Amino acid sequence: MNLLKETSQIVKDNIRDYGMYIALVVIMVTFNVMTNGTFMSSRNISNLLDASGYIAVLAVGMTLVIVIRHIDLSVGYVAGFLGAIAAILLMQQGLSVWLVIPIILVLGIIIGLLNGFLIAQLGIPAFVASLAGMLIFRGALLQVTEGTGTIIVQDDLFNAIGNGYLPAIKYFYNRHVLTLIIGAIGVVLYVVSEMKNRHDKTKYNFDVMSLPIFLIKLVFVSAIIAYITWILAGYNGISWTLVIVLIVTMVYHFISNKTVLGRQIYAVGSNPEAAHLSGINVKKVTYMVMGSMSMLAALSGILYTSRLQSATTTAGMLFELDAIAAAYVGGVSSAGGVGKVTGAIIGAIVMASLTNGMNLLGVGISYQYMIRGGVLAGAVIFDVLTRKRGK
Amino acid sequence: MAKVILEMAQITKTFPGVKALDNVNFQVEAGEIHFLVGENGAGKSTLMKVLSGVYPYGNYEGDIIYEGKVQQFNKIQDSVDVGIAIIYQELALFPDLSVYENIYMGNEVKYKGVINWNQTIVKAKEMLDKVNLKVNPETLIKDLGVGKQQLVEIAKALSKRVKLLILDEPTAALNEDDSENLLELIKALKKQGITCIMISHKLKEVVAIADKATILRDGQTICTLEKKKGEIDERTIIRHMVGREMNQIYPERENKNIGDTILELVNWSAYDTQLGRAVVKDANMHLRRGEIIGIAGLMGAGRTELALSMFGNPKNYKLMGNLALNSKPQTFKHTSDAIKAGMAYVTEDRKGNGLFLLNTITKNVSASKLSGIANNGIINTNEEIKVAEHYKKSLHIKASSIEQLVGKLSGGNQQKVSLGKWLFAGPNILILDEPTRGIDVGAKFEIYSVMNTLIENGMSIIMISSELGEILGMSDRIYVMAEGRITGELNRSEADQENVMALATK
């Protein structure tokens, strides 16, 4: 009985954090039942994750942008434009992939710093500055693809980024062994870090959840990691896209939680004046966040071009809105200072699952937009309501 | 005897935890110029808000009797309808609209809902003549100086057939000439039969034009002085303003360890480009090691501006003059430079620009010196927790744990977090801006004790405060500011309530 009470208390206290996980599980289970198991099949889940990669990396950057109370509408066409530049460098200039990727990322950073200049230095509202960027890069994308139309990329190494998988090494009962090993490592790392965390907290006499609940949580999350790797291992295993998304997530998670820069970003977001008075350089933080955003837009452009194996004239259209939606579904708050990188990833998966599930069910595109809009509104309403209660 | 136009009888107004007005009685005769005088927080503005309907009927106790009738104002418009107009220090004009649009805003000259602009302009001209302001009515407000804007406000009030005009510190933002003009205008309006209530900190003005002056202290009416009886002079007013018992007890301290000068300001001025006026003028000041200096003054005297101008200038004032730390001239480009040089500023507005309310005590305490808990930019969480635990213990912060959100703490405990945050930065010079505002007596005493411990350990403190008792009880030396200038410096032994107040109202 006590166990139940504590569980419900924990859920209540952390409803903001847990809300989207609960939503994700509900969505997945519902679609799985309605599609008689097709939704959770190895092939479908694998496709779903790979197809949401280029939005997920944008959502990660967008979360930090929204945390510091700005917005970046230019990311879609920056991704489209830089994706096209990547294709041109590869196909028309004949540069190697190892050269093209860093060039594109650096170009992204430069574009981001220009945005930062407009916003931090000149004080132009981010909405307007990035709207201008959106138009400019839309034009730039058309300009560079005008002569050739769609640029087909014939470079196996580059195309593997969006379509390739980790080598299997071996198959075990038809399962991808390397994927299983990575999954196992993931479970071990998770368990060890949670135990260390708990140990530290006990050392400082902080409240920790009771042992049985803690164990249940460990088993539950481990089971989910194991289940997902098991599913992925049943198809082609872990894709390079997924590897990239995981690395981006881990790096950004680390930066936002464990570094001085991360602390400064959240400080600027929660109270810019207090941050300034605390000696934090608000302009510098703005430059960093905008720079990182456009770098991730460049990465998104690479992922998208590679996945399609071509650069098209319309690449990047509405990416920014998908990324913003994913960030909000993932729990970022428009009031600033609140939002997690991991949340953005979950948000991106939630939105991708909705699209994917509704496609499997044959829901008309008109309804799909309405439902996704409803989910976005619902997520923000949820955020506002839980924040009110918190006060 | 002239007829009484306004009587406020036994007005009591309570805010949660504070009695802002306590049985205030206030009488104004028709056609007089009546000043309301008192320290910060004496209740002047609250009283005027009750009168003008900002606090609706039923929100206070007592009666407002205006033109012989008990009035029940439910909203501001109700008081406007009977001819009461209030002009606040912060002008309520629309900068991007023209003078005539502003004068008739909310009171448009219209026929069946359609505005007649030509007639508006003609009428606006008449109003401008009345206040003796010679500008084209089509000028935009933002192109006028503050003095002229004030006249537009008065013209606006006149357009509504005002009988009782209330001005809240009208000359605070004006220069000498504009102030002079305004006072002349008020005398002229008096001749036209308009009654005027003015709130002012400048006793010279009171002496110059008041028919009567009512003095408020701690939410109570002390007395009403009359010019006819020859009672209005600066000394008498000050005596009544400050005549309070010193009932606050301050911790004992021996100030033996005062050392060399650590901070010096020479001819220091700060010009606020947004307000378009100097907020600090020619300040000369020094601070020695192990010393507490108090900066006294009334609201708007430029004390916070002085502190910010020294502390890395976050408001981007145009600065002139010299700031030296340990005899070395300094120019700070950013607050972070000031922090590196050993300064810290605990703000008067802890919720607004001091704390990160949605963050934990831990993250607030470390925010001013993240480098102190990090190696190569990576935060050492264990170290951070130790720091937070240290300040929670040493400052007696009452919270369930250091993981508690700062927004959920009481005012006193928030102030301690704010203090802890700056102590962790390791300053030599600590600027405390209203360190005990809005906190209870127990927490006040604790903060005073912490201040004493700090200076014993060689820190120097600049304390800005509106509480005279605190200034007199804690400071080794006192600087008094008025209108951006330092109007005087007093030693602990020579300072008392009256001479500090005399300098603050200079």
Side-chain angles (χ1 to χ4, degrees):
Chain A
M1 205 53 214
N2 251 339
L3 216 63
L4 221 65
K5 229 181 184 173
E6 196 188 335
T7 315
S8 76
Q9 190 58 42
I10 287 172
V11 171
K12 250 189 213 159
D13 290 348
N14 295 291
I15 190 74
R16 276 179 66 88
D17 290 343
Y18 293 172
M20 58 197 160
Y21 292 97
I22 295 170
L24 181 59
V25 170
V26 169
I27 288 169
M28 287 189 150
V29 170
T30 312
F31 278 134
N32 200 37
V33 171
M34 291 174 79
T35 58
N36 297 323
T38 316
F39 184 81
M40 291 302 282
S41 70
S42 295
R43 190 192 165 96
N44 191 51
I45 288 297
S46 181
N47 276 334
L48 189 159
L49 291 179
D50 296 349
S52 59
Y54 63 92
I55 295 298
V57 294
L58 287 179
V60 167
M62 193 63 78
T63 297
L64 296 186
V65 173
I66 297 173
V67 161
I68 64 164
R69 306 183 178 192
H70 290 309
I71 194 79
D72 191 343
L73 299 177
S74 69
V75 294
Y77 285 109
V78 168
F81 171 69
L82 290 179
I85 295 291
I88 290 169
L89 291 180
L90 282 169
M91 302 318 297
Q92 292 168 15
Q93 305 297 322
L95 295 186
S96 106
V97 174
W98 301 111
L99 212 54
V100 169
I101 291 174
I103 289 174
I104 295 299
L105 294 180
V106 168
L107 284 177
I109 292 173
I110 293 170
I111 292 170
L113 294 180
L114 283 173
N115 274 335
F117 178 77
L118 293 177
I119 296 163
Q121 216 72 37
L122 303 183
I124 295 171
F127 189 93
V128 181
S130 63
L131 184 61
M134 177 180 175
L135 295 172
I136 290 168
F137 288 106
R138 179 171 202 176
L141 170 61
L142 289 176
Q143 175 72 35
V144 296
T145 52
E146 208 169 38
T148 50
T150 299
I151 304 165
I152 308 288
V153 178
Q154 291 157 318
D155 184 315
D156 292 343
L157 193 54
F158 185 81
N159 289 341
I161 297 170
N163 301 290
Y165 294 87
L166 292 188
I169 309 176
K170 228 179 138 178
Y171 279 89
F172 170 77
Y173 288 112
N174 260 340
R175 298 279 162 175
H176 194 279
V177 167
L178 185 58
T179 299
L180 293 179
I181 293 173
I182 290 173
I185 295 173
V187 169
V188 170
L189 283 180
Y190 170 73
V191 171
V192 169
S193 86
E194 281 289 314
M195 300 234 294
K196 184 173 171 300
N197 198 344
R198 184 184 168 83
H199 179 253
D200 283 350
K201 281 195 168 173
T202 339
K203 203 168 77 189
Y204 294 109
N205 284 324
F206 289 170
D207 290 342
V208 288
M209 42 181 89
S210 67
L211 195 63
I213 298 263
F214 177 69
L215 290 177
I216 291 171
K217 184 185 164 196
L218 276 191
V219 171
F220 187 71
V221 177
S222 303
I224 287 181
I225 299 176
Y227 179 57
I228 289 175
T229 37
W230 183 253
I231 288 182
L232 289 179
Y235 185 56
N236 283 329
I238 294 176
S239 66
W240 287 110
T241 301
L242 191 54
V243 170
I244 291 170
V245 172
L246 286 177
I247 290 174
V248 167
T249 311
M250 284 192 286
V251 168
Y252 273 76
H253 182 73
F254 180 78
I255 291 174
S256 58
N257 285 306
K258 294 281 179 189
T259 66
V260 170
L261 175 64
R263 214 38 99 60
Q264 291 179 337
I265 291 170
Y266 284 88
V268 168
S270 58
N271 190 339
E273 266 189 86
H276 190 174
L277 283 178
S278 302
I280 293 169
N281 194 329
V282 178
K283 282 183 189 172
K284 192 182 109 190
V285 169
T286 309
Y287 271 112
M288 298 289 274
V289 171
M290 297 314 289
S292 110
M293 176 76 261
S294 293
M295 182 190 76
L296 291 175
L299 180 61
S300 169
I302 292 170
L303 288 172
Y304 189 71
T305 306
S306 159
R307 185 162 175 81
L308 296 190
Q309 309 190 3
S310 60
T312 64
T313 51
T314 55
M317 200 186 325
L318 296 183
F319 284 14
E320 64 284 339
L321 297 187
D322 283 339
I324 292 167
Y328 275 109
V329 171
V332 75
S333 159
S334 51
V338 176
K340 287 182 177 168
V341 165
T342 43
I345 296 293
I346 300 299
I349 297 176
V350 166
M351 294 311 268
S353 301
L354 281 176
T355 311
N356 178 291
M358 288 190 290
N359 279 338
L360 290 180
L361 290 172
V363 176
I365 191 75
S366 53
Y367 290 110
Q368 288 200 18
Y369 277 117
M370 289 189 241
I371 289 169
R372 283 165 65 197
V375 168
L376 175 58
V380 181
I381 291 169
F382 178 77
D383 169 68
V384 171
L385 290 182
T386 51
R387 198 139 35 92
K388 259 193 204 145
R389 216 197 43 177
K391 281 180 185 169
Chain B
M1 204 165 135
K3 116 179 181 274
V4 172
I5 183 168
L6 170 75
E7 183 176 358
M8 298 181 79
Q10 285 164 353
I11 304 284
T12 298
K13 165 84 188 146
T14 22
F15 293 108
V18 234
K19 223 175 204 179
L21 295 175
D22 187 3
N23 265 317
V24 169
N25 290 299
F26 180 53
Q27 239 183 31
V28 181
E29 284 174 17
E32 71 181 4
I33 299 175
H34 197 131
F35 273 75
L36 266 180
V37 192
E39 279 186 278
N40 296 341
K44 300 162 295 195
S45 297
T46 313
L47 186 65
M48 289 304 101
K49 283 182 181 164
V50 168
L51 174 58
S52 60
V54 174
Y55 301 127
Y57 180 76
N59 223 317
Y60 56 88
E61 291 159 41
D63 282 324
I64 299 172
I65 302 152
Y66 176 73
E67 296 193 306
K69 263 193 299 190
V70 174
Q71 303 284 345
Q72 303 186 352
F73 301 138
N74 288 314
K75 51 186 189 299
I76 300 172
Q77 191 58 41
D78 294 348
S79 70
V80 173
D81 289 343
V82 296
I84 299 177
I86 182 161
I87 296 172
Y88 294 101
Q89 196 183 341
E90 308 285 327
L91 299 177
L93 295 171
F94 302 90
D96 290 307
L97 296 183
S98 67
V99 169
Y100 69 89
E101 283 171 300
N102 268 283
I103 292 179
Y104 284 94
M105 178 63 74
N107 185 25
E108 288 80 4
V109 183
K110 53 189 184 253
Y111 178 70
K112 292 193 173 171
V114 179
I115 297 178
N116 185 336
W117 285 119
N118 290 331
Q119 193 147 20
T120 307
I121 295 175
V122 172
K123 286 189 155 191
K125 266 189 191 142
E126 281 170 31
M127 294 302 149
L128 291 175
D129 286 343
K130 279 194 185 173
V131 298
N132 210 357
L133 178 61
K134 290 172 188 66
V135 297
N136 184 340
E138 291 175 53
T139 319
L140 298 186
I141 288 294
K142 64 179 178 190
D143 296 330
L144 296 179
V146 197
K148 288 181 177 167
Q149 291 185 7
Q150 196 114 42
L151 296 179
V152 173
E153 276 269 23
I154 296 175
K156 182 176 172 185
L158 293 180
S159 77
K160 294 178 189 163
R161 302 213 170 71
V162 66
K163 290 179 209 156
L164 177 62
L165 182 65
I166 305 163
L167 296 153
D168 188 353
E169 289 201 54
T171 56
L174 302 188
N175 60 31
E176 296 274 317
D177 284 350
D178 286 344
S179 302
E180 200 72 20
N181 262 335
L182 186 77
L183 297 182
E184 283 306 316
L185 173 65
I186 289 173
K187 284 203 274 187
L189 291 177
K190 179 186 163 185
K191 283 195 186 117
Q192 297 168 29
I194 293 174
T195 314
C196 188
I197 300 175
M198 278 179 80
I199 296 176
S200 179
H201 284 154
K202 295 184 195 167
L203 300 188
K204 261 187 294 179
E205 295 172 359
V206 182
V207 175
I209 69 165
D211 295 313
K212 279 188 199 154
T214 293
I215 290 151
L216 288 181
R217 190 205 307 151
D218 299 333
Q220 293 177 316
T221 3
I222 301 304
C223 60
T224 299
L225 306 172
E226 290 190 34
K227 187 164 198 168
K228 275 187 288 187
K229 299 183 186 164
E231 291 168 332
I232 298 185
D233 64 74
E234 295 192 21
R235 287 190 62 97
T236 318
I237 298 174
I238 289 171
R239 207 181 62 227
H240 288 297
M241 276 169 81
V242 298
R244 182 191 309 133
E245 301 282 305
M246 292 273 287
N247 48 12
Q248 176 89 43
I249 299 158
Y250 297 91
E252 287 288 323
R253 163 164 67 91
E254 289 176 41
N255 48 341
K256 285 181 190 159
N257 302 327
I258 293 183
D260 301 334
T261 298
I262 175 166
L263 176 147
E264 189 163 25
L265 284 183
V266 182
N267 297 331
W268 186 255
S269 298
Y271 183 84
D272 187 327
T273 43
Q274 276 173 354
L275 292 179
R277 65 185 166 94
V279 286
V280 178
K281 299 167 199 161
D282 280 327
N284 287 290
M285 190 175 99
H286 68 279
L287 171 70
R288 289 172 295 185
R289 195 179 305 281
E291 187 182 39
I292 298 181
I293 60 172
I295 299 186
L298 295 167
M299 209 100 73
R303 296 166 302 166
T304 298
E305 290 81 356
L306 173 69
L308 289 177
S309 67
M310 292 192 276
F311 185 68
N313 195 16
K315 301 262 182 191
N316 278 318
Y317 299 136
K318 249 188 244 161
L319 299 179
M320 279 188 307
N322 293 313
L323 164 68
L325 296 185
N326 294 314
S327 312
K328 267 181 241 141
Q330 302 280 351
T331 38
F332 300 134
K333 289 207 179 89
H334 192 268
T335 47
S336 58
D337 298 335
I339 296 170
K340 267 183 218 135
M343 292 178 76
Y345 170 70
V346 180
T347 167
E348 60 176 335
D349 181 10
R350 55 184 169 260
K351 286 190 179 172
N353 59 20
L355 296 168
F356 306 103
L357 296 176
L358 289 175
N359 272 339
T360 58
I361 295 175
T362 318
K363 287 183 179 173
N364 270 280
V365 168
S366 61
S368 293
K369 203 186 181 202
L370 288 166
S371 61
I373 49 152
N375 293 319
N376 302 322
I378 295 167
I379 287 180
N380 181 339
T381 327
N382 284 338
E383 200 54 43
E384 187 178 29
I385 289 168
K386 274 186 207 151
V387 169
E389 287 286 3
H390 168 74
Y391 285 106
K392 177 171 183 276
K393 217 169 161 189
S394 64
L395 298 174
H396 308 287
I397 297 169
K398 286 183 203 79
S400 59
S401 86
I402 53 170
E403 292 295 284
Q404 197 168 347
L405 296 186
V406 167
K408 296 193 172 172
L409 299 177
S410 71
N413 285 309
Q414 285 183 349
Q415 185 66 2
K416 289 179 190 171
V417 173
S418 192
L419 190 58
K421 167 181 155 188
W422 284 109
L423 292 182
F424 178 56
N428 309 318
I429 300 169
L430 180 64
I431 306 174
L432 298 173
D433 197 347
E434 303 284 3
T436 64
R437 173 182 286 174
I439 69 180
D440 62 78
V441 183
K444 274 187 184 182
F445 192 83
E446 284 182 85
I447 286 182
Y448 297 141
S449 306
V450 171
M451 286 167 68
N452 284 345
T453 320
L454 293 175
I455 55 164
E456 267 162 36
N457 297 330
M459 203 183 281
S460 309
I461 295 179
I462 299 175
M463 180 183 68
I464 296 171
S465 176
S466 293
E467 272 189 49
L468 268 183
E470 181 171 285
I471 289 273
L472 296 170
M474 292 299 296
S475 320
D476 294 310
R477 270 183 312 126
I478 298 162
Y479 288 97
V480 188
M481 289 187 77
E483 293 183 65
R485 279 177 211 288
I486 292 184
T487 48
E489 179 190 348
L490 299 165
N491 276 322
R492 188 191 184 106
S493 52
E494 60 189 6
D496 59 36
Q497 298 194 34
E498 294 187 17
N499 56 20
V500 172
M501 190 51 72
L503 289 168
T505 50
K506 210 172 183 174

